[in-house]
Amino acid sequence: MKRIPIIAGNWKMYKNRDEALEFIYQVNDKLPESSNVETVICASAVYLRDLVKRQGDNLRIGAQNMHYLDEGAYTGEVSAEMLKNIGVSYVVLGHSERRAYYNETDETVNLKTKKAIAEGLVPIVCVGEELEVREKGTTNKVVGKQVELAYKDINKEEALNTVVAYEPVWAIGTGKTATKEQANETIIAVRKVLEKLYDLETADKIRILYGGSVKPDNIKDLLSMSDIDGALVGGASLVADSFLKLAEAADK
Ligand code: 13P
């Protein structure tokens, strides 16, 4: 079965509102049809609404985090309902930077994933191993466990509305991409975990992205692999021209 690829930019804490709008105007009319490739920009919460209002037909907007509760006295936090209310479509959850610097745990990733689904947002659930895990040879086990915990108490129908992003921590912002074989092998292991949790048909439908130093010059190789369904891209998504190149590479 054919899975529609996704090219998602994760802007992290880059770009002010003016720069973000300039980018949107540059890419809007040039992006491929969303029936061929879904393109997403995950940006700072401050101007998500501005981006949603200006998103072209083939672009969707995502957040980079959210809280798992409906509302409450949580200074500085943003809820899933707030994101949905302003027209946001996707949300990155469990990014390794949030796991490393903001106490994100497998448990909170699970709570957030459930809340995002309930609110009708598409969660991009991030998993990935540290370098020492890769060197020890336990990557598939560690990443598999992260997936299992992220999908706890999520049923098959709900799981179909999620996306997984496999991002080896050692490949993020380092210029060191996992080889296409390494990326594909771990993504196949992730799909096996999804098959174990649900069934083969469901696992075959869920999009699994690779992230970590994806650039216009390595995207084609990555996308040529059996199980890599697109990319979650940091640095290379900040420049309109390279984001367009990534989207074009995924447009078959
Ligand atoms: P880079 O593409 O800059 O390595 O970042 C990857 C990433 O963390 C996307 O979420």
Side-chain angles (χ1 to χ4, degrees), residues 225-241:
M225 301 307 282
S226 64
D227 283 67
I228 303 180
D229 303 321
L232 182 58
V233 188
S237 74
L238 292 166
V239 178
D241 184 54

Side-chain angles (χ1 to χ4, degrees), residues 10 12 95 97 167 171-174 211-215 232-236:
N10 173 11
K12 309 187 180 184
H95 192 280
E97 287 150 18
E167 300 202 305
I172 295 178
T174 58
S213 299
V214 174
K215 309 275 180 248
L232 182 58
V233 188

